[in-house]
Amino acid sequence: MEKSKRRTFAWLAGVVLVVLAIVLGLHFFTAQHKGKPAPTGEPVAVVPVALQDVPVYIDALGTVTPTRSVTVVSQVDGILSSVEFKEGQHVSKGQVIARIDDRALKAQLAVAKGTLAHDQAVLSNAQRDLARYRDLVKAGSTSQQTLDTQAALVQEQQGTVAADQGNVQNLDVQLSYCTITSPVDGVVGLRLVDPGNYVTTTSTTGIVVITQMNPATVVFAVPEDDLGSIDQAMARGSVTVLAYDRNKKTLLATGSLLALDNQVDTSTGTIKVKAQFDDAGDALFPNQFVNARLKADTLSQVAVVPTRAIQHGSKGDFVFVVNGDKAALRNVKTGPSMGDVSAILDNGVKPGEQVVTEGADKLDDGSPVKVVAQ
């Protein structure tokens, strides 16, 4: 009897210990996980797919070329007496920029004018004699031979006077060359010859180089494969060309396509293109390197997504689209970019669908997601 009571007590004590252990375990587990939310999907940021017009550009590295670059050389030999410009100065067409010592030419011109006046007087006298001989021939007082000789003398003197007049005109022109004027509107460069030096017409160095800055032109080369799209763009009207700085961040000037070269460079497979910028001001400098963007076409109302939403894989580009609480992988064909968005050329996404812009690196097709505010 006593042993039976002991076994019953031991059994009850064991049951109590087991129940107590279970209760303590549940209490500990609850305490450990108290305040923690249930597991959720990967947090992502999304942006809806939109429709908009996207321009198609052909990009190339170009060089700014001046409309005209003129090396000013002297057209007469002589001492450079003065330079009437400051280096880097804007000058107008016809503005005096230098002078050559003209004293010798002025003296030669004076002699030539004196010779002309003398020969004109001789001609006038010969013409009066000719008129008298004609009257005498009619009266029978002189021979026809004398009249003919006098007529020939008059013609000879007329030739002499004509030569004198030409000599005077030539010296007038030579004298005008002593005052050197700018042939174009532009900017003068650094002075190449100092006043006091003897300059000649055979010099190839010149006195200064004047560059016409406006309108500026940019020459760049595009692949021959783009010729078709460029021709189509030209057929539609004026073709816009943008000039950006070396970093492709700052727009320097906006112009238009001026001309295509007449042949493809077989060594590079490219063709040269020239664009003109009428209102570039000082933004484009001769021989400056710029990034040229030729607007070949405009895609009308195509689906666009943020460029950062596009992922790149071994099978091509793709995006993640959020459907409910899961992400779906969509393969897409990307097109040209404009700003922070890129065009989607196929039906990989539809307007209004939500594409993942942040958190995509942790996703797979079908991964649970939780959309968070950006």
Side-chain angles (χ1 to χ4, degrees):
M1 184 71 176
E2 191 67 30
K3 288 182 179 180
S4 176
K5 287 182 179 180
R6 287 177 181 175
R7 282 197 292 271
T8 302
F9 178 79
W11 182 81
L12 290 174
V15 170
V16 170
L17 288 173
V18 170
V19 172
L20 182 61
I22 293 173
V23 171
L24 289 174
L26 289 173
H27 177 74
F28 177 78
F29 180 82
T30 302
Q32 286 289 91
H33 293 79
K34 187 176 181 181
K36 290 189 176 182
T40 59
E42 196 67 44
V44 295
V46 297
V47 171
V49 178
L51 290 177
Q52 69 180 65
D53 294 342
V54 178
V56 179
Y57 289 105
I58 298 172
D59 294 333
L61 183 64
T63 303
V64 179
T65 57
T67 306
R68 282 193 286 179
S69 184
V70 181
T71 300
V72 179
V73 296
S74 176
Q75 293 179 273
V76 292
D77 297 343
I79 298 296
L80 183 63
S81 60
S82 67
V83 172
E84 302 185 11
F85 65 84
K86 292 182 179 179
E87 294 170 320
Q89 173 186 349
H90 285 264
V91 294
S92 302
K93 182 178 181 179
Q95 180 177 335
V96 177
I97 58 174
R99 296 184 189 275
I100 305 294
D101 187 354
D102 59 1
R103 290 174 295 177
L105 281 173
K106 284 182 176 179
Q108 293 176 35
L109 179 59
V111 172
K113 287 182 176 179
T115 302
L116 173 60
H118 173 270
D119 291 340
Q120 283 176 332
V122 173
L123 173 61
S124 178
N125 184 61
Q127 288 172 333
R128 287 193 294 269
D129 287 345
L130 178 61
R132 285 194 294 269
Y133 287 150
R134 283 173 179 161
D135 292 338
L136 291 174
V137 167
K138 290 178 182 179
S141 300
T142 190
S143 65
Q144 183 65 37
Q145 182 180 0
T146 301
L147 176 62
D148 293 342
T149 300
Q150 186 63 30
L153 181 62
V154 168
Q155 289 180 341
E156 179 184 349
Q157 198 61 37
Q158 285 174 334
T160 301
V161 169
D164 291 342
Q165 289 173 333
N167 190 34
V168 169
Q169 291 174 357
N170 178 60
L171 287 170
D172 270 333
V173 172
Q174 296 298 312
L175 189 60
S176 70
Y177 289 158
C178 291
T179 302
I180 301 175
T181 59
S182 173
V184 294
D185 293 334
V187 177
V188 295
L190 302 181
R191 188 174 64 243
L192 303 177
V193 179
D194 295 326
N197 283 283
Y198 187 80
V199 294
T200 65
T201 57
T202 58
S203 171
T204 57
T205 304
I207 298 171
V208 72
V209 176
I210 301 178
T211 301
Q212 184 173 341
M213 307 287 283
N214 288 304
T217 56
V218 172
V219 175
F220 54 97
V222 299
E224 59 181 314
D225 294 341
D226 291 329
L227 271 175
S229 57
I230 294 176
D231 286 337
Q232 292 175 8
M234 293 176 68
R236 290 191 293 267
S238 178
V239 180
T240 300
V241 179
L242 306 177
Y244 284 84
D245 65 355
R246 188 182 293 270
N247 297 323
K248 295 185 179 181
K249 293 182 179 180
T250 303
L251 177 62
L252 301 176
T254 300
S256 59
L257 180 63
L258 184 62
L260 289 173
D261 201 358
N262 58 0
Q263 58 185 348
V264 174
D265 186 340
T266 56
S267 63
T268 61
T270 60
I271 185 169
K272 288 184 179 179
V273 181
K274 178 178 282 190
Q276 179 170 303
F277 299 81
D278 293 327
D279 302 314
D282 296 329
L284 299 180
F285 204 77
N287 295 332
Q288 174 186 1
F289 287 104
V290 296
N291 284 286
R293 305 197 74 191
L294 186 152
K295 186 178 180 182
D297 197 3
T298 300
L299 301 178
S300 179
Q301 293 298 293
V302 294
V304 297
V305 300
T307 303
R308 65 182 183 277
I310 300 173
Q311 307 296 310
H312 309 287
S314 59
K315 296 182 179 180
D317 296 338
F318 62 92
V319 297
F320 284 105
V321 177
V322 173
N323 289 324
D325 59 355
K326 291 187 177 182
L329 186 149
R330 300 273 187 88
N331 292 312
V332 294
K333 180 181 179 182
T334 57
S337 300
M338 184 182 68
D340 297 330
V341 299
S342 295
I344 303 300
L345 301 182
D346 57 5
N347 295 321
V349 293
K350 298 178 181 179
E353 287 187 317
Q354 305 285 332
V355 294
V356 176
T357 57
E358 294 181 20
D361 54 331
K362 299 179 181 180
L363 301 180
D364 290 315
D365 189 20
S367 296
V369 295
K370 180 181 179 181
V371 177
V372 296
Q374 296 194 61

